[in-house]
Amino acid sequence: MARKTPFGQQMREKHFGFAPSYTPLNHGSFGASPLIVQQKQRELQKLETERPDSFIVYDLPDLIEESRRAVAPFLGVPAEEVVFVPNATTGINTVLRNLEYKEKDVIVHFSTIYDSCEMTIASIAEMAPLTASSVLVEYPIEDDMIVKRFRYRVLELIDEGFNVKIALFDTTLTFPGVRVPWEDLVKVCKEFGVLSLIDGAHGIGDIDLTHVGAVGPDFFVSNCHKWLYNPRGCAVFHVPLRNQPLIRTTIPTSYRFQPKKENEAAEQPPKSHFIELFDFVATMDHSPYCCVPAAIDFRKSICGGEEAIRRYTWGLARLGGKSVSQILGTEVMANSTGSLTKCSFTTVGLPIALKAEGEAVGKGCYSVKDALKIKAWLNKTALKEFDTYLQVGLHAGTLWVRLSGQIYLESKDFDWVGYKLKELCLRLEGGKVEL
């Protein structure tokens, strides 16, 4: 008889280091690394402590090389096209701060953009002639409508005389936690000669990305410390050979940077220069980069491989989300084709009616402008009273909670949080809360 993979409570107790009373339902924000992978990290840190010079100068490049070769197949690309950065935000910054901008250059993104990425664009716009154009998207929505709105905006900007230089979009949104048709959006970018930058913060280890190379985005970054079970912080940054000359500097600038010669355009560095540029950016703890093979081995030897992990976490998210929505009397964020829920997230509506600004409110009745206060109260109260953290947010005038399906959770954990949420929402409804 085949050995059954020990997902759920057994996985949590044996392979993860959570506090016994803590219920980890928010894996998507910061991830979690198994004990055996953390042990590998400590071993590497010990080696660096014992002989810092020889480890950093001689051992570290080989270890990072091993990690690059281990992670590249997850994206279906050559190892020569991937390097590591601390997180997805760093990867996004690296691309956007390397490009040169002219008047009427535009970056297109969706209204659901991760806030740090939005602020990155705003920061660059203070120093360079880059204009942001946001495409409004309110979920639930069908994939074809998302693509149509994106295409329409690109065409609209072109007709108005703008140059759509680059587009930024996700594989899976941070909030609400839903899948994005990034492959079809890349096709639109190719059609109009627009650079595509993919924020795959929630990607590797959760959804199948082995076709990234075939789809061919211009830039792709994905956090390994979230769904791949690698220690924080580590993200894989993919730049195809054709675009590597565009990435002239790391953040911060590495000692391998090649300045432009006076009065001359920058010479195109050799293709291998891209890898050398990122090998050693600055003194920091590089051990997370070197743990990628250990994280992958855990997924294979303990969890049974990528398909087994996805089958469990996606299934648990769907089953758990349905249970929570039934307990709360609300709904799971989903569309008719089921594309939004093809990931380990489930996003469930909260039974808290919000009045539009200007409408009368009273005890137990709240306005949309109270959403941030309600979120803060739910976060702190759940942590203080129930020892769990709730990722709550406002989208399209409704408050939602985003929950993560994970190998160390079971359906009973979702039932539990459903009733706890109901209790908290009833307290809000009864006006027993000071926001």
Side-chain angles (χ1 to χ4, degrees):
M1 181 179 292
R3 178 179 64 85
K4 185 178 180 181
T5 304
F7 291 144
Q9 188 69 24
Q10 185 180 350
M11 175 67 73
R12 175 178 168 179
E13 293 174 352
K14 185 175 181 180
H15 295 289
F16 288 86
F18 298 111
S21 64
Y22 186 72
T23 305
L25 290 157
N26 186 38
H27 182 99
S29 285
F30 307 109
S33 188
L35 296 174
I36 193 171
V37 181
Q38 293 179 37
Q39 177 59 37
K40 177 63 176 180
Q41 183 181 27
R42 286 192 291 270
E43 291 171 2
L44 292 166
Q45 291 170 332
K46 183 175 183 292
L47 290 173
E48 183 175 2
T49 298
E50 292 174 341
R51 293 178 177 83
D53 298 283
S54 61
F55 181 86
I56 292 172
V57 175
Y58 298 111
D59 298 332
L60 185 60
D62 290 340
L63 289 165
I64 292 178
E65 172 77 5
E66 181 186 357
S67 290
R68 289 195 308 104
R69 298 200 174 279
V71 80
F74 279 72
L75 304 183
V77 299
E80 291 71 26
E81 294 185 348
V82 298
V83 291
F84 293 104
V85 291
N87 46 59
T89 303
T90 301
I92 299 299
N93 271 262
T94 301
V95 174
L96 294 182
R97 296 184 186 279
N98 267 277
L99 299 179
E100 295 182 5
Y101 304 102
K102 299 177 181 179
E103 292 295 332
K104 292 211 166 185
D105 277 353
V106 176
I107 178 171
V108 176
H109 62 78
F110 291 97
S111 57
T112 48
I113 185 174
Y114 184 55
D115 52 7
S116 293
C117 295
E118 186 173 19
M119 292 303 99
T120 296
I121 296 169
S123 171
I124 293 172
E126 290 184 349
M127 301 177 289
L130 176 66
T131 301
S133 181
S134 178
V135 179
L136 177 64
V137 176
E138 292 187 337
Y139 287 85
I141 188 173
E142 301 299 335
D143 285 356
D144 59 352
M145 183 56 67
I146 294 173
V147 177
K148 285 179 182 177
R149 290 186 182 181
F150 176 72
R151 177 190 288 274
Y152 178 81
R153 177 58 54 84
V154 172
L155 282 168
E156 186 178 47
L157 289 165
I158 292 173
D159 288 344
E160 292 174 1
F162 290 97
N163 175 46
V164 183
K165 187 176 184 71
I166 190 167
L168 170 62
F169 41 86
D170 304 74
T171 50
T172 302
L173 292 181
T174 293
F175 201 93
V178 293
R179 277 285 287 274
V180 175
W182 66 273
E183 299 96 333
D184 290 334
L185 294 170
V186 169
K187 290 179 183 178
V188 176
C189 288
K190 288 180 179 294
E191 181 182 346
F192 293 101
V194 176
L195 291 172
S196 52
L197 170 55
I198 315 303
D199 181 359
H202 303 283
I204 192 168
D206 181 30
I207 61 177
D208 183 8
L209 294 173
T210 54
H211 59 312
V212 167
V215 175
D218 291 295
F219 309 97
F220 190 101
V221 62
S222 190
N223 286 324
C224 298
H225 58 248
K226 288 183 184 285
W227 303 96
L228 198 67
Y229 307 147
N230 206 68
R232 310 175 193 96
C234 175
V236 58
F237 179 38
H238 163 59
V239 180
L241 291 175
R242 68 179 185 275
N243 290 329
Q244 290 181 8
L246 295 175
I247 305 300
R248 290 192 29 77
T249 180
T250 55
I251 296 178
T253 298
S254 144
Y255 73 99
R256 291 187 181 272
F257 172 72
Q258 296 181 0
K260 292 181 180 180
K261 294 180 180 179
E262 189 175 358
N263 299 323
E264 291 184 16
E267 295 181 0
Q268 295 289 8
K271 293 176 180 177
S272 61
H273 176 70
F274 172 72
I275 296 170
E276 293 175 350
L277 197 63
F278 285 84
D279 264 354
F280 189 85
V281 175
T283 303
M284 57 178 278
D285 182 7
H286 290 85
S287 63
Y289 296 179
C290 305
C291 288
V292 170
I296 293 173
D297 181 67
F298 172 82
R299 300 171 71 83
K300 289 180 179 177
S301 61
I302 303 299
C303 302
E306 300 306 305
E307 191 58 39
I309 294 171
R310 269 197 297 273
R311 187 164 53 247
Y312 184 82
T313 59
W314 289 23
L316 181 61
R318 291 168 183 164
L319 179 65
K322 182 179 180 181
S323 175
V324 173
S325 68
Q326 289 176 342
I327 292 169
L328 296 178
T330 59
E331 61 182 1
V332 173
M333 183 175 286
N335 57 13
S336 63
T337 57
S339 64
L340 301 182
T341 55
K342 291 181 178 179
C343 62
S344 298
F345 278 142
T346 184
T347 306
V348 183
L350 296 180
I352 301 171
L354 298 177
K355 300 283 188 178
E357 288 193 42
E359 292 187 290
V361 296
K363 189 175 182 180
C365 183
Y366 304 95
S367 167
V368 170
K369 66 181 181 181
D370 295 319
L372 286 179
K373 293 180 181 179
I374 295 172
K375 172 184 175 179
W377 181 83
L378 287 169
N379 290 158
K380 291 181 180 179
T381 305
L383 190 60
K384 180 180 178 181
E385 297 184 10
F386 311 130
D387 204 10
T388 192
Y389 186 87
L390 302 174
Q391 188 60 270
V392 176
L394 178 70
H395 181 75
T398 299
L399 279 166
W400 304 80
V401 60
R402 187 199 74 187
L403 303 168
S404 302
Q406 202 38 257
I407 59 172
Y408 49 71
L409 294 171
E410 299 177 3
S411 58
K412 65 179 182 181
D413 296 306
F414 285 81
D415 295 342
W416 173 83
V417 79
Y419 287 110
K420 294 301 182 184
L421 272 166
K422 185 174 183 178
E423 177 185 331
L424 294 176
C425 291
L426 285 173
R427 285 159 66 178
L428 283 164
E429 184 181 338
K432 300 176 181 179
V433 173
E434 288 290 336
L435 297 179

